[in-house]
Amino acid sequence: MTQARETVSFKPGEVILYPGRPGPRDRAYRVLSGLVRLEAVDEEGNALTLRLVPPGGYFGEEALFGLERGHFAEAVTEVVLEALPKEPSPEEMRALAQHLAEALARAYRRIESLATQRLKNRMAAALLELAATPLAREEEGVIVLHATHDELAAAVGSVRETVTKVIGELAREGYIRSGYGKIVLKDPEGLKTLAQSKGDGR
Amino acid sequence: MTQARETVSFKPGEVILYPGRPGPRDRAYRVLSGLVRLEAVDEEGNALTLRLVPPGGYFGEEALFGLERGHFAEAVTEVVLEALPKEPSPEEMRALAQHLAEALARAYRRIESLATQRLKNRMAAALLELAATPLAREEEGVIVLHATHDELAAAVGSVRETVTKVIGELAREGYIRSGYGKIVLKDPEGLKTLAQSKGDGR
């Protein structure tokens, strides 16, 4: 028998989960529609995006395993979520394990990139990753990414001032066109090459 | 009925898994004894430790989910492993999901630390993390860590020359005593404070 599942909705910018040790009423979630961002925020208010969770993905797994949560979960777009039961079915546990294995592989690539790549190259990788989310739209044959410099800073682990400099550099070199709150990916292939190299001087 | 499980052994330094897309005979493993290191190696041969897997932990999960593996798995000490069946039991899948959730939480802390912390503070965190593995032993009331500067460089995502400079700094400031291939943690509390702060000038 399939039980009706509990669903919850959030508006863009709403906080879904807070950092800390999950309480007894905390739940893990599966995203049904929209995009969720997991982000760490330091004492000075600088945000760092850890994971973007698209439809079909999971988050809040700390509640299932009694782990301390180090980040916020926030709705980027309108989102609809399904709360997981305390004891997920074997099929759902397998799907969650697969999601975690994929997230871990991405986190490891991110660690490699932070340890070895220059900011400009990391930014190219971040732009391409964001281009595959609902933050990007194809408009007249080109990919347009709707993201502020603050959001880009959170994606690469830097601050807005530095990001503005690097975005300017990428624009001057013809990889992108940068406008208010949006970025046009003019040369995705060139960005891919940049994303796969370490950068000068490393 | 409990089936006899297939176990395999490796000697220190032996490679257990290689990077790439897992083939049909690839397996995921549970560590029964010893310590396994997952590490990425770049074109110049610089290693970066991604995960240390102690007894009870899992690795090679790419084989279960058809994911590309970006790293090597290597035996740090003598290790004995149990190969997981292609379709793990629900209990084992839950234990694997929990291991992955914990590894992901650690990877996120590492991303935060790489994005925001200075090398000296990251090194303090790495020394404390390594102190909780079989690479460390308590000798006459103090923790002695058996690790080369190359291994420390791989743990923090840096190179040996830079690590030697930072280790010298930590020694001069009284946090550690450094000898050939080993490091005495003289002031674990002080290291903890260092590990939790960002460092000067950030």
Side-chain angles (χ1 to χ4, degrees):
Chain A
M1 197 178 77
T2 308
Q3 287 235 293
R5 291 293 191 84
E6 187 190 329
T7 66
V8 277
S9 302
F10 292 88
K11 294 196 190 314
E14 272 193 279
V15 173
I16 304 164
L17 293 174
Y18 289 84
R21 193 159 284 284
R25 295 183 51 205
D26 260 297
R27 305 289 288 273
Y29 295 98
R30 180 166 184 270
V31 178
L32 295 180
S33 67
L35 186 71
V36 172
R37 173 163 43 218
L38 308 189
E39 68 180 12
V41 180
D42 71 14
E43 314 87 66
E44 289 138 40
N46 299 312
L48 177 66
T49 302
L50 298 173
R51 177 156 123 226
L52 289 171
V53 191
Y58 295 85
F59 68 98
E61 65 275 2
E62 302 82 13
L64 292 175
F65 304 119
L67 302 176
E68 172 113 22
R69 182 180 302 119
H71 52 260
F72 290 85
E74 137 191 308
V76 179
T77 62
E78 295 268 348
V79 295
V80 182
L81 308 174
E82 176 181 71
L84 262 60
K86 289 270 169 194
E87 296 293 338
S89 68
E91 294 70 34
E92 186 123 56
M93 188 58 89
R94 189 184 197 287
L96 171 65
Q98 168 143 10
H99 175 84
L100 294 174
E102 287 166 1
L104 193 55
R106 272 198 305 276
Y108 287 156
R109 282 200 296 276
R110 182 98 175 267
I111 287 171
E112 281 184 66
S113 136
L114 275 167
T116 63
Q117 251 186 341
R118 290 180 73 92
L119 184 59
K120 185 167 129 189
N121 302 267
R122 274 153 50 200
M123 181 59 79
L127 291 174
L128 291 171
E129 201 183 337
L130 291 169
T133 72
L135 294 175
R137 258 191 296 268
E138 205 172 312
E139 294 173 14
E140 298 172 14
V142 292
I143 299 165
V144 179
L145 184 61
H146 293 263
T148 64
H149 287 194
D150 271 324
E151 286 175 312
L152 295 176
V156 294
S158 184
V159 291
R160 196 186 57 234
E161 295 74 10
T162 314
V163 161
T164 299
K165 208 172 127 242
V166 169
I167 285 294
E169 214 175 305
L170 289 172
R172 272 195 311 279
E173 293 169 8
Y175 293 104
I176 60 171
R177 201 166 56 234
S178 170
Y180 186 73
K182 71 181 194 179
I183 285 164
V184 180
L185 305 196
K186 280 172 64 185
D187 180 6
E189 280 307 310
L191 286 170
K192 208 167 158 187
T193 306
L194 260 191
Q196 286 165 350
S197 69
K198 290 188 169 186
D200 306 327
R202 289 296 278 244
Chain B
M1 196 177 79
T2 309
Q3 288 236 292
R5 291 294 192 82
E6 187 189 328
T7 66
V8 276
S9 302
F10 292 88
K11 294 198 191 314
E14 271 192 279
V15 173
I16 304 164
L17 293 174
Y18 289 84
R21 194 158 285 283
R25 295 182 53 203
D26 261 297
R27 306 289 287 274
Y29 295 98
R30 179 166 185 268
V31 179
L32 295 179
S33 66
L35 185 71
V36 172
R37 173 163 43 217
L38 309 189
E39 69 180 12
V41 179
D42 70 15
E43 314 86 68
E44 290 138 39
N46 299 311
L48 178 65
T49 302
L50 298 173
R51 176 157 124 225
L52 289 170
V53 191
Y58 295 84
F59 68 99
E61 64 275 3
E62 302 83 13
L64 292 174
F65 304 119
L67 302 175
E68 171 115 20
R69 183 181 301 120
H71 53 261
F72 290 85
E74 138 192 306
V76 179
T77 62
E78 294 268 348
V79 296
V80 182
L81 308 173
E82 176 181 72
L84 262 61
K86 288 271 167 191
E87 296 292 339
S89 68
E91 293 71 33
E92 187 123 55
M93 189 57 90
R94 189 186 197 286
L96 172 64
Q98 168 142 12
H99 175 84
L100 294 174
E102 288 166 1
L104 192 55
R106 272 197 306 276
Y108 287 156
R109 283 199 296 276
R110 183 97 174 269
I111 287 172
E112 281 186 65
S113 137
L114 275 167
T116 64
Q117 250 186 343
R118 290 179 73 91
L119 183 60
K120 185 168 131 190
N121 302 264
R122 274 155 50 201
M123 181 59 78
L127 291 174
L128 291 171
E129 201 184 335
L130 291 169
T133 73
L135 293 175
R137 258 192 295 268
E138 204 171 313
E139 295 173 12
E140 298 172 11
V142 292
I143 299 165
V144 179
L145 184 62
H146 294 263
T148 64
H149 287 193
D150 272 324
E151 286 175 313
L152 295 175
V156 294
S158 183
V159 291
R160 197 187 54 233
E161 297 73 10
T162 314
V163 161
T164 299
K165 209 172 125 240
V166 169
I167 286 292
E169 214 175 306
L170 289 172
R172 272 196 310 281
E173 292 169 9
Y175 293 104
I176 60 170
R177 201 164 56 232
S178 171
Y180 185 73
K182 70 180 198 180
I183 284 164
V184 180
L185 305 195
K186 278 172 66 185
D187 180 6
E189 280 308 309
L191 286 170
K192 207 166 159 187
T193 306
L194 260 190
Q196 286 166 350
S197 71
K198 291 189 171 186
D200 306 328
R202 291 296 278 243

